[in-house]
Amino acid sequence: MIRAFTARGERRLAWRDPRDLIDAVGGREGALILFSGDGGRVLMTAEPDATRELTDDPETLVALLADPAWEEGAIQLLSYDGGARLATGPRPTVWPDLMAARYPAWLEFEPETQTLTAIGHGTAETDVDGALDRAEGWLADAGTTPKVTGPLSVGFEAEADEETYRAAVADVVQRIGQGEIFQANIARGWRGRLRAYVDPLEVFRRLVAASPAPYAAFWRQGGRALVSNSPELFLTLRSRQVETRPIKGTRPRHADPRQDAGEVADLRSSAKDRAENLMIVDLMRNDLARVCEPASVRVDALFALESYANVHHLVSTVSGRLAEGATAGDLLAATFPPGSITGAPKHQAMKVIAAHEPPRGPWCGSLVLREGTDSLTASVLIRTLAFTLEEGAWHWRTQAGAGIVADSDPAAEAAEVLAKISAIRHALTGA
């Protein structure tokens, strides 16, 4: 049992561009670099004072999510398979259901105002100054790191070929026609290993340099590392107000402006994509209603367009007010895994997914930032690579999926998956 942080302090520092500090913080034990989506805010930390891993222990997991000792200054990684286990049963995976780390020292960057703040936590006032000094000391280690050129990865191997994926899509369409489900998100996977001189931090650097996403993240914990360039918000909780922003509907970007505008027009007018988005909006409304005040759950935005370097998306926003007595742990338990990457009905969709995919690991799980009681930001871990250190080399796995509905075309869904994986492929191989 660890003691909760009871003291907190801040120290204003001279502005530095967070991109210049990726190596100063990212090379340390337990390093975390996090884009929080709040107006471009970036958080950096390292050297946790406590870590935790859990697998196949749902009661302890929910208790940990609600434990005051892990409510502030903490990061929690929920793997997809832990949330899906009630539907799929146990499945072998090298990633735990939950990884957590708590950090006394943080750097907070606000690019819009060019404000840099050191934040220190402690179990006593005397701990705070030491944490602030440590965070400020990281700035002194910033230097110029030689740029790695050429491909970062040895191989970019598909776990199954495109014909296998198309057959999986066709099977799901048939299941939908038979009334088993309404929608399921089906993915393809790719594997490889980094070259001997390459660290996962370099993959993160390339992704955010080429196409930074609102919820990009790098996290290293022992022999595991996570690199995410996610555009999708799973949940925010602020003063008991909850918001979720599911993504459904995708088109590729094009260099030619007219062709790119044509993709936007096609996406906005697509009855198939709008129906897919609406199904998940209804699912998320239902999930939030389990832990929110009656009649507080509402749809704030429907089918909004968001554009990134490689794709356009349709994004909707659903909100509610957390019910009296409900905790952040209750909220996560009621809504995880995210509906946008499972399907509807969620329980049966996860069974269908398991019939076509190996365990997902962190991909389509969530990275949860805890900043105090009733305060969290959780991303959906799409556009994400999971790394494991094996015999001195970093091996990686990544996936990309598409939401399958009644009128899905297997060839079109396969093309959508390739569009979604293109940024990661380019970062790793240059292709």
Side-chain angles (χ1 to χ4, degrees):
M1 179 72 70
I2 64 170
R3 295 170 57 197
F5 288 144
T6 56
R8 184 184 189 277
E10 296 185 359
R11 184 181 297 168
R12 186 64 58 86
L13 305 174
W15 171 252
R16 301 284 296 275
D17 190 318
R19 292 170 295 183
D20 296 336
L21 298 168
I22 286 177
D23 290 292
V25 179
R28 297 174 180 273
E29 175 59 31
L32 172 69
I33 302 172
L34 194 65
F35 289 51
S36 73
D38 299 332
R41 184 176 66 138
V42 179
L43 296 165
M44 294 188 185
T45 185
E47 301 161 358
D49 71 345
T51 61
R52 189 79 184 270
E53 293 186 5
L54 289 172
T55 296
D56 200 19
D57 191 353
E59 291 185 2
T60 304
L61 191 153
V62 173
L64 181 68
L65 292 172
D67 186 341
W70 294 89
E71 284 184 341
E72 189 164 16
I75 195 76
Q76 296 162 340
L77 170 59
L78 302 175
S79 289
Y80 169 87
D81 305 293
R85 187 170 290 113
L86 287 177
T88 66
R91 307 181 76 202
T93 175
V94 298
W95 285 80
D97 293 351
L98 174 100
M99 291 174 58
R102 192 181 73 164
Y103 298 88
W106 293 76
L107 291 171
E108 180 184 62
F109 302 81
E110 298 277 5
E112 286 187 351
T113 58
Q114 295 207 332
T115 302
L116 171 57
T117 306
I119 299 170
H121 300 282
T123 57
E125 292 287 348
T126 53
D127 301 329
V128 172
D129 282 341
L132 292 171
D133 290 342
R134 192 181 323 152
E136 187 172 2
W138 295 334
L139 304 179
D141 293 339
T144 302
T145 301
K147 184 178 180 180
V148 177
T149 59
L152 303 181
S153 177
V154 177
F156 193 95
E157 303 299 328
E159 294 177 339
D161 60 25
E162 187 167 316
E163 287 304 313
T164 301
Y165 182 76
R166 292 188 185 192
V169 172
D171 175 71
V172 173
V173 170
Q174 183 177 23
R175 289 171 183 255
I176 293 170
Q178 294 169 346
E180 180 180 349
I181 54 173
F182 301 112
Q183 180 183 161
N185 188 288
I186 302 298
R188 292 184 68 187
W190 290 263
R191 294 179 180 270
R193 66 175 175 84
L194 298 184
R195 296 185 180 277
Y197 54 85
V198 175
D199 186 89
L201 188 63
E202 184 61 33
V203 182
F204 174 75
R205 190 198 323 277
R206 283 198 182 182
L207 282 171
V208 298
S211 55
Y215 300 98
F218 171 82
W219 190 27
R220 185 201 313 274
Q221 192 66 30
R224 297 188 181 98
L226 185 83
V227 170
S228 180
N229 201 31
S230 175
E232 185 168 0
L233 173 69
F234 175 32
L235 293 168
T236 58
L237 175 62
R238 298 285 186 275
S239 301
R240 306 198 69 76
Q241 189 68 23
V242 182
E243 184 175 283
T244 181
R245 302 182 68 242
I247 290 176
K248 276 297 169 192
T250 303
R251 291 294 185 278
R253 296 297 308 266
H254 294 281
D256 178 75
R258 292 181 63 184
Q259 193 175 4
D260 197 54
E263 294 286 1
V264 169
D266 183 60
L267 177 60
R268 282 180 156 160
S269 64
S270 169
K272 180 259 185 187
D273 287 292
R274 291 163 73 91
E276 183 182 344
N277 191 293
L278 189 59
M279 273 189 263
I280 300 306
V281 166
D282 284 341
L283 188 156
M284 295 308 298
R285 287 174 61 198
N286 182 68
D287 281 356
L288 290 187
R290 295 165 61 190
V291 289
C292 285
E293 293 177 356
S296 73
V297 178
R298 65 183 188 183
V299 179
D300 300 290
L302 198 60
F303 313 142
L305 179 74
E306 290 189 5
S307 299
Y308 298 93
N310 296 284
V311 292
H312 301 287
H313 286 308
L314 290 182
V315 185
S316 295
T317 303
V318 184
S319 65
R321 182 167 180 80
L322 196 64
E324 193 68 31
T327 67
D330 296 326
L331 173 63
L332 289 164
T335 56
F336 186 78
S340 64
I341 49 70
T342 51
K346 184 187 284 188
H347 188 87
Q348 188 60 29
M350 290 189 292
K351 287 186 176 182
V352 172
I353 290 167
H356 289 289
E357 297 180 32
R360 288 179 166 182
W363 186 77
C364 282
S366 182
L367 194 64
V368 185
L369 171 67
R370 306 296 298 273
E371 295 185 273
T373 304
D374 294 337
S375 182
L376 65 80
T377 303
S379 65
V380 181
L381 289 174
I382 56 175
R383 319 292 196 270
T384 295
L385 301 103
F387 293 84
T388 54
L389 188 60
E390 303 170 28
E391 298 180 353
W394 286 102
H395 292 250
W396 58 264
R397 183 179 185 227
T398 189
Q399 298 109 293
I404 312 305
V405 292
D407 57 351
S408 285
D409 172 63
E413 302 294 357
E416 179 178 318
V417 166
L418 292 178
K420 289 175 176 176
I421 204 65
S422 63
I424 286 177
R425 184 194 298 271
H426 182 70
L428 288 170
T429 69

